[in-house]
Each structure stands twice: as C-alpha cells, then as structure tokens.
Amino acid sequence: MKIKMNIKLAIMALVLTTSCSDLIDPAIENIQSKDMIRERPGMVQGLLLNAYLRIPTNGYNFSEMATDDAVSNDLDNAYLNMATGQWASNFNPVDRWNAANSSIQYLNEMLTEVGNTEYASNPQVNQMFLDRLTGETYALRALFMYYLLQAHGGMAGGELLGVPIFLEPQSVDSDFNMPRATFDDCMAQLYSDLNIAIDLLPMDYYNIGDASMIPSKYQEGGTGVNDYNRVFGDDAKQLVSGRIARAIRAQAALLAASPSFNLDNDQAKWADAATYAGELLNDIGGISGLDPNGVTWYNNRSIIDGLGAGINPPEILWRGSIGGPSNNLETQNYPPTLYGEGLVNPTQNLVDAFPMANGYPITDPAAGYSPAAPYADRDPRLAQFILLNGSTAGPTGVNINTALDSDTNDGLNKVETSTRTGYYMRKLLRQDVNLDPVATTGQRHLQPRMRYTEFFLIYAEAANEAWGPMASGGFSFSAYDVIKAIRQRAGIGLDSGDPYLESIKGDQDAMRQLIRNERRLELSFEGFRFWDLRRWGANLTETAQGMRIQNEDDYSVIDVENRVYQDYMIYGPVPYSEMLKFSTLQQNAGW
C-alpha cells in the first residue's frame, strides 16, 4: 500500500509541475513548410521519390488473369470479376488515374522547387545536381503520361482523347475542372518532356576515370572526375537516365502507332516507334546485343545472386531493387504440394500459342503436333514458362501431377489452391525457393521495369508495319532479323533453319501475327497481354480454356472461364468518381 501511495504522490507532483499549456495545447506537428524544405535537399528530392514509388512496374499485378492467357484460382480476384462482366467505371482493377495524377502533382511540385535549393556548395556540382534532378522529373512525368494514355485514352464525342494536361502544381485554389486534351496533344507533351530529359541526362550512370569523358558543358566550368562521379556516377544507378528516357519514348510511340490509337494508320507513327526502338538497340550492338540468357532472366541464379549494387545483367534495361531473399512470388504461385497457393493458372490458349520446336504453329500440317502427346517436341519456352503435367519443380524436384485423377492437391480443381486449367505458372519463380514450413528459404529476385527483349519486339512490330518484314529503314537489322534471333535464342528451328519463318518472311500480314505471338510468349506474365490486346483492337472475348487429363493419356480441352467484354472496352474508362466531380470531363464511349 505504501508503494502505491508513493506512486500516486509522484504522479500528482508531475502534473502540478507541468504547465497548463503543455497539457492543453497540441504538440508542434512534424509538417515541413516550403521554406524549411528548401533548406534540406533531401526533402526536395522526396518529391521525386514519391513518383518513383508509384511506378506500376515496381511489382507484378498479373493482369493476364483478365485475358486469354490465364485465370485466377481465387474466385474473389478482382481480375476474374473484371473479365467476367463486372468491369465498370466504378470498378476498375486497372485504373491508373489517381496514382499517375498524384505522381504528376509531385513532379510538378518538384519542377517548381528544384531550383530553389542548394545541393552543393560548389556551383558547378550544384548545377549538375539541378540538371539531373530536373531531367529525372521530366522523364518521370512523361512516363506517367504514357500510363495514363494507355489506361484512359479513348474515343469520346467522336474524338480520340487523352487526359487533362497539368504542367503546374495544383493547390486548393486551382481549377481542377479541366477538360481532357486530345490524344495527340498529350503525346506532344510527352515527347516534349522526354526531349528535355534526354538533353539533361547522361545515357547511363557510372563512375568515369578520365576527365575527357566529362561532357563539354561541364568541362568548361572546371568540373573534375570526382565531382562528376558524385552526381552522375555509380551511386545514381537505377535512377532515370537518358537511356531510360529513350526507352519510354519507344514505348509511348508504339502505343500511339497501334491500331486503337492510330485511327488513320499513319505510317509515320510506325516509323517513329521503329526508329526510337532501333536507336536503343543500335547502342547495344543491334542483334548481337540480344542476351543469350535472356529467356530465363528470372531464374539465372548465379547471375542474380552475384549482382552488385545497381548493376544490371545484359537483359535488363531498368529494374527496381533486388532486395534480400524473399519467397512471396513462390508462396503465391507454387502448386500446393510445394506449399504454394497456385494463384496464376495459365490457359490452354496460351499453351497452344507455343509452336513446335521446328517452328511451325501446332495448327500447321507441317508441325507434327500430336493431340495424344501435346507437350512433346514443343518450343522449349513452354516447359520453362509453364508447369505442365509431369514436370518437376521446387528445390527437391517434386513431380507435379495436374490430372483430374491426381493423387495430390496439384490435380485439376482438387482444392481451392489447385489449378483450374491443368497448368501452373513457372516463369518468374525461382525453383530453389523452399516453402516447406520446417525448412523455409527465400532467394533474391529480379524485378525488371524494362527488359531489352521488349524493345527488340517493339522494333520488330513497328518496323514490319512501317517498312515490311525484310526492310530495315536505315538500321542494320529488319523485323525478320529480330524475330529470327529471338526464336533461335529460344531453341526454335535450330536443326531445320526455322522453315516456317522462312516461308512467311515476305508476307507482312503473316509476319504481324508471328511478331504478336512472339511478344505474347516472351513477355508472358509480365503485364503486357491485357494492354496489347486492346491497343491492337483484338478479340477480347476468347474463352479461357484448360486441359483435363485422365488415365495418364486421355487429354481433353475444357472451357474454364468466359471472357465478357464489349467492343468499346478496347479503351478504359475515366473513373466514375471523377465524372461526378468535374463537368468538363468527357467519358469514353460506352462507359
């Protein structure tokens, strides 16, 4: 009791000696004014960091589950609901309006503030920091414009529209009720931003060893090697560079040239896309720059585990942080016997898109395809990207049985984490991850924002449209050359010389279909298919199918999930909430 009384007296004394204002007035909030931010360069750069953190390719979203390439075994999955008829302006799992516009707001604020802060006492070093930060900002603003146009550009009132263009930071006094600019005006702004970025940024960030390598505009100010490396050296790797700005330009140009956004089939737009991609490829040696290990970039263990800070393997143009060992992707997508949730189930549609090893589509009479042995003599990428019945997987090489009569939960529709199609995703996953609860291990994972294979495919698609399969438009390689190299790398037609490719090399239409199919395979499960189908104006309603296997050799194709899309859905909606708030916004037709 005496101890309790002493505690009470101590508390009373503390209260009596504390001022009333301390008890009643709120504490000073940790909110930085602009004046305070300007005195702290790291705080100013935080505006830029907010945009980096919102880049959609910082992680995988598996929008393929809303296409003909995959389904989800989670029946509450947003992409499943979207693909089966619930996509609406107030239910949009692929919405980018708010995140991208928030990023642009931060970037516009950055452009306003970037010149008001001192980053180094040396004026020349300070100018280099200012140039780099400004260049990064313009490039990122263009990147988010690209994502907005991809997700929300479309036909409204008989005109192809983009999004409202905001070039100044908005405040509570700003007029938010801005109309959508035309798609072409948005593209012009995107190109303008990228031109500024390319002018300000070095092609790549790395430490130089000789003053002769310093750009003349900085040499004239007396910049030394150490000063240059402080700003543009190794520590800046993975920030937006001139190379990345050029890559954004190629991506955006392909979108603008595509049928859904190039209503007059302007061949100059195709030529622009081919030229921008071709220039990037020229810088890595053209066809010779295609990484021979690029097919299995996600599982090249010694390369990934040996990567130093900021270093990219040859296949990766831009990536996020590798981080420490993890097993999140495997937990989500390993089959049940490997203690995974089996979320992404590739479709029979995608399996059928892989050709035979001789290069012929499985529907071609010359293919040699047998429905009784559907996985025999196929494109090697099929087994590398998709876990087939009878495949081994995981760190101990467990045999995966996906048959209807499987004696494990890996079988078709056995439990809620089982496959619905007869397939599991293998691509992206490291097979040396162990999810066994008594011996769980993780591994390092590459998270690419851009791979060079994408830009080889951009070039092939655009060059074929602009100049035909065999012409090169001034480059040393054609669409045919690129596709031949990609297929050879994959192991197609090595013994036969790829006769199918040779048979269509003079046919622009047939080459177009082959290029699109190669893009489907090479970029599978990386978030491209959903957007590609729409920019091509392709069929969105192909039923997702699977494979039912019984008695070891009885194969039958089954319908798994209908795709319920309308024709107008090649364009995404403006969010319903925005339409309610702003009278000048026009909704895309049909929404």
Side-chain angles (χ1 to χ4, degrees):
M1 290 296 294
K2 185 176 181 180
I3 294 174
K4 290 183 179 179
M5 181 61 70
N6 288 339
I7 292 173
K8 290 179 181 179
L9 290 172
I11 294 172
M12 290 175 63
L14 179 61
V15 171
L16 291 173
T17 56
T18 302
S19 70
C20 291
S21 61
D22 289 337
L23 289 174
I24 298 171
D25 292 343
I28 297 174
E29 294 185 45
N30 186 26
I31 297 175
Q32 306 294 317
S33 68
K34 283 190 177 181
D35 288 339
M36 296 172 68
I37 289 175
R38 289 165 184 162
E39 296 172 1
R40 302 173 65 182
M43 295 293 291
V44 175
Q45 293 178 63
L47 296 169
L48 198 53
L49 178 61
N50 269 285
Y52 275 108
L53 292 174
R54 286 173 167 78
I55 296 172
T57 49
N58 285 343
Y60 294 107
N61 57 49
F62 298 118
S63 58
E64 288 85 358
M65 294 186 294
T67 75
D68 54 352
D69 273 5
V71 302
S72 169
N73 68 3
D74 176 5
L75 300 184
D76 293 324
N77 183 271
Y79 291 122
L80 183 154
N81 292 328
M82 173 184 174
T84 54
Q86 295 186 42
W87 194 16
S89 62
N90 61 352
F91 176 73
N92 186 7
V94 293
D95 175 82
R96 286 174 173 168
W97 190 278
N98 291 323
N101 278 304
S102 294
S103 298
I104 290 173
Q105 168 69 5
Y106 281 113
L107 294 167
N108 287 338
E109 192 72 55
M110 181 68 179
L111 290 175
T112 300
E113 295 298 327
V114 67
N116 297 325
T117 299
E118 183 178 88
Y119 304 95
S121 57
N122 181 315
Q124 191 65 21
V125 175
N126 189 68
Q127 184 61 49
M128 288 192 293
F129 271 118
L130 180 58
D131 287 351
R132 195 197 79 196
L133 293 169
T134 303
E136 289 178 72
T137 304
Y138 276 107
L140 285 171
R141 191 167 75 174
L143 178 65
F144 283 103
M145 174 62 80
Y146 163 63
Y147 286 129
L148 281 169
L149 293 177
Q150 187 184 56
H152 302 288
M155 294 297 297
E159 189 175 19
L160 184 62
L161 298 182
V163 295
I165 297 175
F166 295 106
L167 303 180
E168 302 290 337
Q170 297 168 288
S171 70
V172 293
D173 298 320
S174 297
D175 181 7
F176 292 84
N177 196 16
M178 299 287 288
R180 295 168 65 187
T182 67
F183 184 89
D184 286 344
D185 284 346
C186 290
M187 284 298 302
Q189 182 59 52
L190 180 152
Y191 284 142
S192 175
D193 283 354
L194 289 174
N195 288 339
I196 295 172
I198 289 169
D199 184 57
L200 291 172
L201 297 172
M203 191 70 165
D204 298 294
Y205 299 113
Y206 59 91
N207 284 346
I208 62 172
D210 191 290
S212 64
M213 302 174 70
I214 300 173
S216 57
K217 63 180 178 179
Y218 300 132
Q219 283 188 28
E220 293 168 359
T223 299
V225 169
N226 290 337
D227 288 337
Y228 183 84
N229 289 342
R230 178 181 170 188
V231 182
F232 297 116
D234 288 348
D235 288 345
K237 285 180 177 177
Q238 304 309 332
L239 298 178
V240 175
S241 63
R243 185 180 303 275
I244 293 166
R246 288 170 173 84
I248 296 168
R249 184 172 63 179
Q251 290 176 321
L254 181 70
L255 179 73
S258 299
S260 296
F261 298 98
N262 186 9
L263 304 181
D264 299 325
N265 194 26
D266 183 351
Q267 293 300 292
K269 292 182 178 179
W270 285 113
D272 285 345
T275 298
Y276 296 147
E279 290 172 350
L280 271 178
L281 302 181
N282 262 350
D283 196 67
I284 62 169
I287 297 296
S288 66
L290 185 68
D291 182 8
N293 297 312
V295 174
T296 54
W297 58 267
Y298 55 91
N299 199 36
N300 295 336
R301 303 175 189 181
S302 61
I303 294 175
I304 296 171
D305 293 342
L307 285 178
I311 302 298
N312 287 340
E315 172 63 16
I316 306 301
L317 192 155
W318 189 26
R319 64 170 174 82
S321 173
I322 292 178
S326 66
N327 56 28
N328 295 334
L329 271 176
E330 290 75 20
T331 298
Q332 193 176 54
N333 290 290
Y334 265 2
T337 54
L338 295 178
Y339 305 96
E341 298 167 1
L343 176 67
V344 180
N345 303 162
T347 59
Q348 187 64 41
N349 316 56
L350 177 58
V351 169
D352 288 347
F354 288 86
M356 300 297 287
N358 61 19
Y360 284 97
I362 66 170
T363 54
D364 193 295
Y369 172 75
S370 171
Y375 313 130
D377 301 321
R378 297 291 294 274
D379 176 345
R381 292 173 295 187
L382 174 59
Q384 290 167 327
F385 294 172
I386 296 176
L387 201 54
L388 309 168
N389 183 56
S391 298
T392 58
T396 59
V398 173
N399 187 274
I400 305 301
N401 185 343
T402 66
L404 183 67
D405 51 4
S406 170
D407 58 0
T408 74
N409 286 338
D410 295 336
L412 185 72
N413 293 321
K414 287 283 185 177
V415 294
E416 62 182 11
T417 55
S418 302
T419 176
R420 297 172 61 210
T421 63
Y423 303 104
Y424 294 95
M425 186 182 77
R426 188 184 188 103
K427 189 179 177 182
L428 308 181
L429 309 182
R430 287 201 42 166
Q431 298 301 311
D432 51 350
V433 164
N434 192 344
L435 300 181
D436 187 329
V438 302
T440 303
T441 60
Q443 300 293 346
R444 302 178 86 197
H445 292 74
L446 270 177
Q447 176 59 58
R449 293 187 178 124
M450 296 176 178
R451 292 202 293 123
Y452 272 109
T453 296
E454 176 191 353
F455 295 92
F456 277 101
L457 290 164
I458 288 175
Y459 177 83
E461 181 178 346
N464 182 60
E465 300 297 337
W467 309 313
M470 300 295 290
S472 59
F475 294 96
S476 62
F477 44 91
S478 65
Y480 160 83
D481 293 326
V482 167
I483 295 303
K484 183 176 181 178
I486 286 175
R487 283 162 68 89
Q488 283 182 339
R489 181 181 71 174
I492 292 175
L494 298 183
D495 297 330
S496 58
D498 203 348
Y500 178 73
L501 176 62
E502 295 303 315
S503 72
I504 67 165
K505 65 183 182 182
D507 185 335
Q508 186 183 47
D509 292 338
M511 185 63 78
R512 177 185 304 118
Q513 295 308 312
L514 181 59
I515 291 168
R516 290 183 179 184
N517 196 68
E518 284 297 314
R519 184 177 172 93
R520 180 182 190 178
L521 305 182
E522 286 282 337
L523 304 181
S524 57
F525 309 116
E526 296 179 55
F528 287 90
R529 182 68 173 172
F530 177 84
W531 307 104
D532 283 343
L533 287 172
R534 283 154 180 78
R535 69 178 177 84
W536 291 330
N539 178 24
L540 308 178
T541 58
E542 187 175 326
T543 299
Q545 296 181 317
M547 179 66 80
R548 181 173 60 204
I549 306 171
Q550 290 180 278
N551 302 321
E552 296 185 359
D553 59 359
D554 180 8
Y555 295 88
S556 57
V557 175
I558 58 172
D559 289 342
V560 175
E561 195 170 275
N562 291 331
R563 292 286 174 257
V564 183
Y565 292 111
Q566 304 300 320
D567 290 345
Y568 64 82
M569 291 180 176
I570 60 172
Y571 306 115
V574 175
Y576 179 68
S577 59
E578 299 298 296
M579 297 300 300
L580 290 179
K581 290 185 287 188
F582 305 120
S583 61
T584 63
L585 284 180
Q586 286 183 278
Q587 180 62 275
N588 287 332
W591 294 100

